Amino acid sequence: MVIIMNTDATEQNIRDVIDAIVSVGLEAKVMEGAHQKIVGVIGDKGRMASVPVEAMEGVEKSVAISKSYKLASREFHPQSSIVRVGDVEIGGEVPVVMAGPCAVESREQLFEAADIVKDGGAQFLRGGAYKPRTSPYSFQGLEEKGLEYLAEARERTGLKVVTEVTVVEAIERVCQYADMLQIGARNMQNFGLLKEVGKCGKPVLLKRGLAATIDEWLNAAEYIMHSGNPNVVLCERGIRTYETYTRNTLDMSAVAAIKHLSHLPVIVDPSHGTGKWRMVKPMAFASIAAGADGLMMEVHPNPSKALSDGPQSLTPEHYKGIMEGIGKLASFMKSEPSLRLFDEE
Ligand code: PEP
Ligand code: MN
């Protein structure tokens, strides 16, 4: 961290800043800029959390220069991580696909969806039993009944189950049924929830917050890892921007950024990322081309009857077409040396 002083900061202001840094056991180094003095902080910058440095007289701003997350960083762990969910490897040789309805609506709907998902070649069945809806009047999910149907669908198809947990009280229950827990965009900075899923022993799919920076997202992963769970997979699902044509703005550059900054696998959700089923195919292909380790896509046996997110849900036919393309694209990229994205490959 460096602390940039105002142009009119006095010698006393600088001495006060240095004293504050030294008082928490860190070292301070003053550098002369062209017009301003800069105080560098050396040591664990976490200790600076208790120093309200930006409120001190003569300080213009403080700027973090080393990363606040460690366990999630590639600096800390240069080799890309593979997260194993049973016999499925996320971050390994083949892209992993998690597909299924937005919400578990009924036993019949889920079974039909699960058969379609399995047929198309995905490894995971997704489906929300606890739905974090914007309106309290919208369908909220079947809760434990929904979890039971998901577990039954796993027995039926052999697919792994990923489903969202929205509150700490439900973690134990969701863990009884699911192979992987999903933390949704709205809960990405629910630090109490992150700490608890870090202790539950199941792999976690961490979606990017609606308005989260990449740094905040990786810090959220750090919370889970710091609680003892190294099995975190990141999921880019679009962020809020001024654009209204799409539901969110799918930040494809986040895939390349995560690959550089972190060793964790990253997948992309083009369904929530665009809000439009027509855009799912091009964005799914773009995700694989950008180096994503997999995809999450919403598929419904009859999107026009879906209780949530029908407009972005794929029909069985569209889903199968996309799966075929993804398989071909991924193997072509692997077979063609000029298309390899990462030096370590
Ligand atoms: C979901 O995947 O079911 C979901 C609610 O997505 P997000 O948290 O990304 O909005
Ligand atoms: Mn949805």
Side-chain angles (χ1 to χ4, degrees):
M1 175 188 276
V2 294
I3 295 155
I4 301 165
M5 304 301 293
N6 285 329
T7 45
D8 56 0
T10 63
E11 285 303 316
Q12 186 59 46
N13 293 156
I14 294 170
R15 268 198 300 278
D16 289 344
V17 167
I18 293 171
D19 287 348
I21 294 166
V22 172
S23 74
V24 290
L26 299 172
E27 211 183 306
K29 203 171 167 60
V30 181
M31 292 161 273
E32 295 272 351
H35 307 289
Q36 288 160 296
K37 284 193 170 150
I38 295 167
V39 185
V41 182
I42 301 157
D44 176 9
K45 91 167 198 278
R47 294 194 188 183
M48 287 300 286
S50 61
V51 181
V53 75
E54 290 200 340
M56 293 180 74
E57 221 167 306
V59 172
E60 186 173 305
K61 62 177 174 181
S62 63
V63 181
I65 55 167
S66 70
K67 296 182 186 81
S68 46
Y69 54 87
K70 299 247 174 332
L71 304 174
S73 77
R74 199 177 271 283
E75 280 163 5
F76 177 83
H77 190 294
Q79 206 60 26
S80 292
S81 286
I82 292 178
V83 171
R84 292 186 174 81
V85 184
D87 57 352
V88 178
E89 291 189 340
I90 309 173
E93 292 289 299
V94 292
V96 169
V97 178
M98 306 179 183
C102 179
V104 180
E105 299 170 4
S106 68
R107 198 164 183 268
E108 295 65 37
Q109 171 252 16
L110 187 69
F111 283 14
E112 206 180 328
D115 290 346
I116 295 160
V117 166
K118 172 78 181 175
D119 239 35
Q123 297 88 339
F124 276 80
L125 174 65
R126 62 143 288 144
Y130 297 87
K131 292 305 301 175
R133 304 305 301 282
T134 301
S135 163
Y137 306 115
S138 303
F139 174 60
Q140 301 286 310
L142 298 182
E143 303 191 341
E144 192 157 6
K145 258 281 150 271
L147 295 175
E148 285 172 19
Y149 298 155
L150 282 164
E152 274 188 72
R154 172 183 40 219
E155 292 309 308
R156 187 184 161 93
T157 57
L159 291 164
K160 302 281 178 262
V161 165
V162 57
T163 193
E164 181 165 353
V165 59
T166 53
V167 288
V168 170
E169 298 71 45
I171 293 176
E172 215 180 304
R173 206 170 316 129
V174 177
C175 280
Q176 284 166 14
Y177 296 95
D179 300 295
M180 185 176 210
L181 304 188
Q182 177 173 324
I183 296 292
R186 288 152 194 82
N187 272 315
M188 190 209 82
Q189 284 190 314
N190 182 339
F191 300 118
L193 185 62
L194 298 179
K195 285 183 197 167
E196 290 306 314
V197 296
K199 293 181 200 155
C200 78
K202 293 268 176 177
V204 177
L205 181 70
L206 177 66
K207 297 191 100 179
R208 183 176 182 182
L210 302 166
T213 63
I214 286 168
D215 190 79
E216 288 163 341
W217 187 17
L218 288 170
N219 270 294
E222 188 81 6
Y223 263 94
I224 300 170
M225 299 174 89
H226 184 65
S227 295
N229 188 346
N231 298 313
V232 178
V233 175
L234 300 162
C235 179
E236 162 61 38
R237 47 77 72 205
I239 48 173
R240 277 280 164 88
T241 68
Y242 53 77
E243 181 56 69
T244 54
Y245 178 70
T246 44
R247 180 177 179 181
N248 291 292
T249 297
L250 188 61
D251 181 8
M252 204 55 79
S253 72
V255 174
I258 291 293
K259 285 287 170 197
H260 177 66
L261 294 169
S262 178
H263 57 95
L264 296 174
V266 57
I267 70 165
V268 175
D269 172 353
S271 304
H272 292 89
T274 62
K276 295 179 190 298
W277 70 265
R278 283 180 195 282
M279 296 184 74
V280 171
K281 185 177 190 173
M283 292 301 97
F285 291 176
S287 306
I288 299 303
D293 296 299
L295 294 161
M296 171 171 265
M297 296 186 288
E298 287 188 340
V299 181
H300 195 285
N302 187 352
S304 65
K305 295 264 160 49
L307 296 184
S308 63
D309 288 350
Q312 68 193 35
S313 298
L314 298 167
T315 61
E317 293 68 35
H318 287 131
Y319 160 70
K320 281 192 192 141
I322 294 175
M323 290 301 284
E324 231 184 273
I326 287 164
K328 290 195 177 137
L329 182 57
S331 47
F332 180 57
M333 286 189 68
K334 248 174 65 107
S335 68
E336 175 51 53
S338 67
L339 293 178
R340 288 199 189 142
L341 296 169
F342 310 116
D343 296 340
E344 63 179 32
E345 280 186 347

